[in-house]
Amino acid sequence: MRRDRRWAAWPFAVLLGTALALAPLQGAAAYAMEGDVPGGSPEAVVTETSDDVVMPTVEALVFEGAEEDMPPDPGPGFVPDGVAVAADELALELDSGGEVVLAADIEASGQLVTTTVVTLDLNGHELTASIVVRGGMLVVRDGSEAQTGALHGPDGSFPVIAEGTCAIEGGRFSAQPPEDCLAEGFVAVEEDGVWSVVPEEESEPDPATQVDPDDPGIDPEPGADPDPRGGDEPEPGTDPEPGTDPEPGTDPEPSTDPDPADEPEHVHDLAPVEEIPATCTADGTRAHWACSGCDALFADAEGTQEVAPEDLAIPAAHQLEAVAEKAATCTETGAKAHWRCAVCGALFAAEAAATPTDAASLTTPALGHSPVFHEAAAATAKAEGTRAHWGCATCGRLFSDEALTKEVSAAELVIPKLPVYTVTFDDCIKSTKNATVEVVGGTAVARPTDPTLKGWKFEGWYLYDDGWARCAYDFSAPVTTNITLYALWSELPERLPETGDQADLAAPAGLAVMGAAALAGTVVVRRRVA
């Protein structure tokens, strides 16, 4: 918000009345004090009487056009908004921004910080402080007629630490203001160790006060030889330049050059300029106001804070993201740790974005396989086997060839367990149990001990599948399935079973054998039940 210098006179009037009321004044005298209040001139008058001192009277302060801003009863401690009479008030006003007017000399022990756009009017007072401008803009001026406002650093150094933008338009300083802190059109002039910031035209010497030593009406400086020819008198033997003197009886032509005083004061015609965001590689511009008549730039719509184009620049910057290192594998390349812009995708070797790079420079080569040969392992009835193959010692992948080009899975290298089959030996004797043997598939079963039976001859082991095999079983043949081998018997001639004898053979089988023996002289016995 804008601050009004008219409020600066109110605390002066209160303090003035209090001071005059406490001073014992004697003698016939009148004192008048003029205040620097726009729109009014408060006066305090003291008049002597014979016995008593008349208390001073202070006329009401007049604020033209701002009666609605004055409280109905401000009281002696009232300080208008934007007016500072103490260090703590000044700190708050600087932090709020806008225009701040000093109403008294102030000395601040700590740093005063501003982060916004603020105008500090010294208003003829002295401020001893260190002001830090962070990110905002500070304009310093002196609105007093006497131009006695001063800004000093606590240790005699320049009081403004400009981390943002600083524009000084007035005031006195005990140290020389830096060039980049001066507003456009203002210069710093030194006199007796004190630096004053004034408009550039005021720092130039007044031509009216300059002495021309060639002027015949002016005495030359001591030690200089006067011109015996008397100023503009031409040398002997030379003619004056034509047109330099008017002809007799004629008046010189009036000057046609315009008088600068007659020219109307320029009024800025401000138009808002939208912000142009910065890109990764191009600077942007902050929002501001521009005058269409004089091309002047301002930070505010009122045109009180003029800025230079460089003050409005938004530096270009990449939005970098860290990219972690990617380790190379046997077959895939890796990448070094780097930084990548999330907006344009540019790559950088460091976070400062000062060292651009490319994908090829960041790539690390693949490691390649480390071959290892694995011999075959035969399968058993209890464990699977493995085919001979090659593997990589680095990544653990498996291959069927030494060149490591034909990758295989672990399942493809497995040799299944060998099958186990059951061979049952049925001796066809009712009083005995069948014998069973487990045999690994593809191997031969061992021949058991031949069984014996009194009165019968064992002829061998035979397969029976709806009929006897033509030949006895070959015990050298590999077993490829579950089988049952039956004993083949022939009756011996010296003993025949008696009628009713069931000690060894089943009755049906005995009858069949005896019938067959009677015909062929040989009996074959096969038991189908246990």
Side-chain angles (χ1 to χ4, degrees):
M1 61 181 177
R2 289 184 52 81
R3 310 295 186 181
D4 200 334
R5 288 179 48 208
R6 297 175 294 180
W7 291 98
W10 177 252
F12 279 112
V14 176
L15 296 175
L16 177 61
T18 304
L20 293 177
L22 298 177
L25 305 178
Q26 296 181 357
Y31 298 85
M33 182 178 70
E34 295 183 359
D36 183 20
V37 181
S41 177
E43 296 181 356
V45 180
V46 179
T47 306
E48 182 191 14
T49 63
S50 59
D51 298 322
D52 301 324
V53 177
V54 178
M55 298 302 294
T57 60
V58 181
E59 294 184 358
L61 298 177
V62 179
F63 296 87
E64 294 181 356
E67 290 79 6
E68 66 276 10
D69 296 335
M70 276 291 292
D73 185 13
F78 172 73
V79 177
D81 191 18
V83 177
V85 298
D88 55 347
E89 296 174 353
L90 179 59
L92 292 175
E93 295 295 340
L94 289 177
D95 187 58
S96 300
E99 185 173 0
V100 182
V101 181
L102 294 188
D105 295 344
I106 297 177
E107 181 174 352
S109 59
Q111 288 185 340
L112 303 177
V113 180
T114 175
T115 59
T116 61
V117 178
V118 61
T119 299
L120 174 61
D121 188 350
L122 299 175
N123 195 31
H125 295 284
E126 289 194 6
L127 171 60
T128 302
S130 179
I131 303 177
V132 180
V133 184
R134 290 181 181 164
M137 179 176 180
L138 173 65
V139 179
V140 180
R141 61 173 59 145
D142 183 11
S144 65
E145 294 182 2
Q147 294 291 297
T148 56
L151 180 56
H152 306 294
D155 54 356
S157 61
F158 187 66
V160 178
I161 303 174
E163 299 176 3
T165 302
C166 177
I168 301 178
E169 300 177 354
R172 299 188 299 168
F173 304 86
S174 57
Q176 181 180 5
E179 289 290 337
D180 56 358
C181 282
L182 298 178
E184 185 176 0
F186 288 82
V187 295
V189 179
E190 187 269 339
E191 184 177 359
D192 298 332
V194 177
W195 293 84
S196 301
V197 176
V198 297
E200 192 171 5
E201 58 270 15
E202 294 184 10
S203 65
E204 300 177 357
D206 187 357
T209 63
Q210 301 301 306
V211 177
D212 185 1
D214 295 332
D215 190 344
I218 302 300
D219 295 334
E221 297 181 3
D225 295 333
D227 187 354
R229 298 190 300 274
D232 296 334
E233 187 71 21
E235 297 181 5
T238 62
D239 296 331
E241 296 181 5
T244 56
D245 295 329
E247 297 181 2
T250 62
D251 296 330
E253 295 182 2
S255 174
T256 58
D257 295 334
D259 186 355
D262 296 337
E263 295 182 1
E265 183 180 359
H266 174 67
V267 178
H268 293 297
D269 183 13
L270 300 184
V273 180
E274 295 184 355
E275 177 177 311
I276 301 176
T279 65
C280 295
T281 55
D283 293 342
T285 305
R286 294 183 176 89
H288 59 282
W289 282 260
C291 177
S292 59
C294 65
D295 296 331
L297 305 177
F298 298 89
D300 60 328
E302 291 77 15
T304 61
Q305 301 170 12
E306 188 170 359
V307 293
E310 56 267 21
D311 299 330
L312 300 173
I314 303 175
H318 290 283
Q319 298 182 18
L320 299 183
E321 297 177 339
V323 180
E325 179 183 4
K326 177 186 176 184
T329 66
C330 295
T331 57
E332 296 182 356
T333 59
K336 302 174 184 176
H338 59 281
W339 296 82
R340 179 182 180 276
C341 178
V343 178
C344 67
L347 304 177
F348 299 90
E351 185 179 5
T355 310
T357 185
D358 53 28
S361 301
L362 298 172
T363 301
T364 56
L367 302 177
H369 292 298
S370 301
V372 177
F373 178 69
H374 299 275
E375 295 182 354
T380 66
K382 296 182 178 181
E384 296 174 337
T386 306
R387 294 180 177 86
H389 62 281
W390 296 82
C392 176
T394 303
C395 64
R397 296 164 69 179
L398 304 175
F399 301 87
S400 62
D401 61 327
E402 185 177 0
L404 305 187
T405 59
K406 300 177 181 179
E407 186 173 1
V408 294
S409 64
E412 295 176 291
L413 299 174
V414 172
I415 300 175
K417 294 179 183 180
L418 298 179
V420 177
Y421 301 109
T422 301
V423 177
T424 304
F425 293 92
D426 187 350
D427 59 4
C428 297
I429 300 175
K430 186 176 182 181
S431 59
T432 61
K433 293 183 177 180
N434 296 336
T436 58
V437 178
E438 289 185 347
V439 181
V440 175
T443 62
V445 62
R447 181 185 180 97
T449 304
D450 293 344
T452 60
L453 181 64
K454 185 179 180 180
W456 296 86
K457 178 183 179 182
F458 176 71
E459 298 292 346
W461 298 99
Y462 287 80
L463 290 173
Y464 185 87
D465 187 10
D466 295 333
W468 292 103
R470 293 182 177 274
C471 300
Y473 180 75
D474 182 5
F475 283 93
S476 64
V479 177
T480 58
T481 185
N482 296 327
I483 59 175
T484 301
L485 298 177
Y486 296 92
L488 181 63
W489 300 92
S490 62
E491 185 178 11
L492 296 175
E494 60 271 12
R495 180 182 183 275
L496 291 175
E498 296 180 359
T499 303
D501 187 2
Q502 298 179 359
D504 295 313
L505 300 178
L511 295 176
V513 170
M514 287 188 290
L519 297 175
T522 302
V523 178
V524 178
V525 179
R526 180 177 181 272
R527 182 183 56 155
R528 294 185 177 273
V529 295

